[in-house]
Amino acid sequence: MSEESVVPRIRPEIAALPAYRQGRQASPDAFKLSSNENPYEPLPGVLDAVVAAGAFNRYPDATAARLRERLAARYGVSPDEVHVGAGSVSLLAQLLLATSGPGDEVVYAWRSFEAYPSLVAVTGAASVQVPLTADARHDLPAMAAAITERTRLVIVCSPNNPTGPTVGYDEFAAFVDEVPRDVLIVLDEAYAEFVTDSASVEGGRVRAVLDRPNIVVLRTFSKAYGLAGLRVGYAIGNETVLNAARSTAIPLSVTAAGEAAALASLDAEGELLHRVAVIAERRDRLVDRLRETGWDVPDAQGNFVWLAAGERTLEVAAAFDAAGLIVRPFAGDGIRISIGEEESLDRVVEVAAAHAG
């Protein structure tokens, strides 16, 4: 072997990791329904706020203090109980690094957000994946039973990405009572704004009623607020826990433009609620129509629906692709279809009907 062919040694578990695969881009004449993006343009005032934050030659406020203060007032907590990062996924990465390492375990449902296994592997900890129930929901009793002395963190994704159902508040509260107080519970609520089921768990109520230092709630501005391209998310939780996460963060990862856009988006809450209501109603109609074609679609509470295509997943996804619908296949499991423009619905139903059964 020549010296030129020798490369630095890479941790085997990292070398074996697949790179994160985002939803494929769409051609101008296709509908991109692969990344759970918001089909609306930015909320009123957002573009002006981003332009006003155009001093890109200057570093941003590393603490995102204005946004933290605004969110703290919104949730009735102190600014130190709010942590802002470059999307909720980066905050989860920080919490994992702060709690978990070689020899430790992280418990989560599967299938769930595809980044979870990679984020856990980077810490050196081991993933403990608990299968979903037959109706594509979290099996919280089984997750509680999977916790051992090595468990450091448990992730609960509600609504679950990519399958759609939420976790109920009562079952979550019972689950919390089963989890040891020294194990961190992360409630990942990236799609919470789209939830219409009043029985679902909700981070604000969790913080107000349960008030446990081992619970952190994650939210994002990427989905309902339509800021996917600016990468802003936040965590609400115990100050000591969030300080540990802050210690693992890459400095200055939230830009001034991102913070300004998030603040402006919060100012446009009325329009946000209108848009969310439109998408949720569109989602519910799509679920009903897909079920009429013969697909067994799980309860959908995010801005997407799930087709459990199993071994036919890639075949069915190719049919959507051929029809100008870019969807997100998970080989061997199913297809996630984001709720996009109204004009996409008939085409989605037509393709699904042709491949039902």
Side-chain angles (χ1 to χ4, degrees):
M1 180 181 295
S2 67
E3 290 186 5
E4 289 77 10
S5 65
V6 177
V7 298
R9 285 174 287 184
I10 306 296
R11 288 167 49 196
E13 64 271 29
I14 301 301
L17 280 179
Y20 177 76
R21 181 186 168 200
Q22 75 176 126
R24 189 161 62 83
Q25 300 300 311
S27 62
D29 60 342
F31 291 103
K32 186 186 178 194
L33 308 177
S34 57
S35 296
N36 292 350
E37 295 157 330
N38 194 317
Y40 286 102
E41 62 187 12
L43 287 159
V46 169
L47 292 179
D48 289 341
V50 170
V51 171
F56 301 141
N57 57 313
R58 303 296 184 186
Y59 286 115
D61 173 6
T63 68
R66 290 190 301 151
L67 182 54
R68 287 193 301 114
E69 290 168 1
R70 181 74 175 274
L71 291 169
R74 183 185 184 90
Y75 288 96
V77 299
S78 75
D80 288 334
E81 293 175 295
V82 181
H83 178 33
V84 176
S88 56
V89 67
S90 73
L91 296 167
L92 177 58
Q94 293 167 24
L95 291 164
L96 285 164
L97 287 168
T99 60
S100 309
D104 297 330
E105 294 176 344
V106 176
V107 174
Y108 53 89
W110 196 253
R111 175 174 286 276
S112 194
F113 181 35
E114 65 181 302
Y116 291 162
S118 297
L119 294 175
V120 173
V122 168
T123 70
S127 284
V128 177
Q129 298 179 345
V130 178
L132 297 172
T133 63
D135 53 354
R137 302 180 71 252
H138 279 50
D139 187 342
L140 292 184
M143 290 177 66
I147 294 172
T148 70
E149 292 184 356
R150 296 171 58 189
T151 306
R152 297 293 175 265
L153 187 146
V154 180
I155 308 169
V156 175
C157 184
S158 181
N160 186 50
N161 175 20
T163 62
T166 56
V167 168
Y169 175 82
D170 290 340
E171 63 177 332
F172 181 79
F175 173 74
V176 168
D177 285 339
E178 295 294 320
V179 177
R181 297 298 183 96
D182 61 351
V183 172
L184 183 63
I185 303 170
V186 175
L187 178 58
D188 187 348
E189 292 191 304
Y191 302 91
E193 290 83 1
F194 299 104
V195 174
T196 55
D197 181 357
S198 61
S200 298
V201 69
E202 193 275 321
R205 186 181 178 199
V206 166
R207 292 285 301 163
V209 179
L210 299 180
D211 192 26
R212 304 283 179 87
N214 67 326
I215 301 175
V216 171
V217 177
L218 298 184
R219 292 282 184 96
T220 183
F221 285 94
S222 295
K223 307 303 181 184
Y225 288 90
L227 300 184
L230 287 174
R231 311 306 301 130
V232 185
Y234 60 96
I236 309 291
N238 175 268
E239 179 181 351
T240 299
V241 174
L242 295 188
N243 282 342
R246 283 185 263 263
S247 296
T248 73
I250 297 174
L252 304 165
S253 59
V254 177
T255 65
E259 183 182 16
L263 287 164
S265 295
L266 291 172
D267 289 336
E269 179 129 21
E271 178 61 21
L272 169 79
L273 294 175
H274 168 71
R275 293 180 179 188
V276 165
V278 170
I279 292 172
E281 188 275 337
R282 191 176 293 167
R283 171 201 69 202
D284 292 345
R285 278 193 288 117
L286 180 59
V287 168
D288 289 342
R289 294 180 66 185
L290 290 171
R291 287 173 176 168
E292 289 172 359
T293 70
W295 285 96
D296 184 14
V297 182
D299 182 34
Q301 289 289 306
N303 66 337
F304 53 89
V305 298
W306 175 251
L307 301 182
E311 295 304 316
R312 298 190 301 128
T313 291
L314 297 183
E315 169 196 339
V316 177
F320 279 109
D321 188 46
L325 299 164
I326 310 304
V327 296
R328 182 67 174 89
F330 296 86
D333 285 341
I335 298 167
R336 188 190 67 197
I337 305 173
S338 306
I339 305 302
E341 294 80 0
E342 177 69 26
E343 296 75 18
S344 69
L345 298 191
D346 286 346
R347 201 184 299 183
V348 169
V349 173
E350 180 181 354
V351 175
H355 293 83

